Amino acid sequence: QVQLVESGGGLAQPGGSLRLSCTASGLLLDHYSIGWFLQTPGKGREVVSCISKIDREEYYANFVKGRATISRDVPSNTVFLQLNNLRPEDTGVYYCAADVDHTWCQRSSDDYDFWGQGTQVTVSS
């Protein structure tokens, strides 16, 4: 049974940092492209970042470019999303997801097959 578990969310001040973790069981994350998505009230899930199956591609949405770093730790079967210089508009639920079909990063949530339960990030002073 495949399970993705996010952690690391919480309350942060503007300008602060958080590191989100996505740990998997039943699936080796380094065999798949892994995406991070943000869901905010009234909006669908939008891609924040993705690391491709072969690690040749890292994608960042414009609103986090220069402030986010995605990385993969194979021994712990975990993908991280480091978010720096946080802004109030970064607030929402962050989900990680695994794409079993594509080699390169996909931007649409429809292309991802397995999802975690999400972790809440709130950026507020």
Side-chain angles (χ1 to χ4, degrees):
Q1 182 180 351
V2 175
Q3 189 175 19
L4 302 180
V5 178
E6 301 96 335
S7 61
L11 176 63
Q13 292 190 339
S17 298
L18 286 173
R19 188 174 79 156
L20 308 182
S21 301
C22 173
T23 302
S25 57
L27 178 138
L28 294 176
L29 292 184
D30 63 322
H31 289 189
Y32 305 103
S33 295
I34 305 299
W36 281 96
F37 289 80
L38 169 63
Q39 184 158 20
T40 54
K43 294 179 67 176
R45 294 180 186 182
E46 60 177 328
V47 65
V48 177
S49 181
C50 172
I51 186 166
S52 67
K53 177 180 179 179
I54 308 178
D55 277 6
R56 292 177 192 169
E57 180 189 11
E58 293 178 13
Y59 168 81
Y60 298 96
N62 285 336
F63 73 95
V64 296
K65 201 167 289 183
R67 303 189 295 120
T69 304
I70 192 169
S71 61
R72 197 196 311 257
D73 181 68
V74 175
S76 65
N77 203 26
T78 301
V79 171
F80 300 99
L81 180 67
Q82 177 73 38
L83 295 171
N84 299 321
N85 193 18
L86 286 164
R87 303 168 180 171
E89 53 264 39
D90 296 327
T91 295
V93 181
Y94 285 75
Y95 296 89
C96 67
D99 174 4
V100 301
D101 294 321
H102 303 90
T103 298
W104 306 107
C105 282
Q106 303 300 305
R107 315 298 196 250
S108 171
S109 60
D110 292 339
D111 290 316
Y112 289 78
D113 305 281
F114 299 103
W115 291 83
Q117 82 291 347
T119 186
Q120 174 72 42
V121 170
T122 302
V123 183
S124 174
S125 56

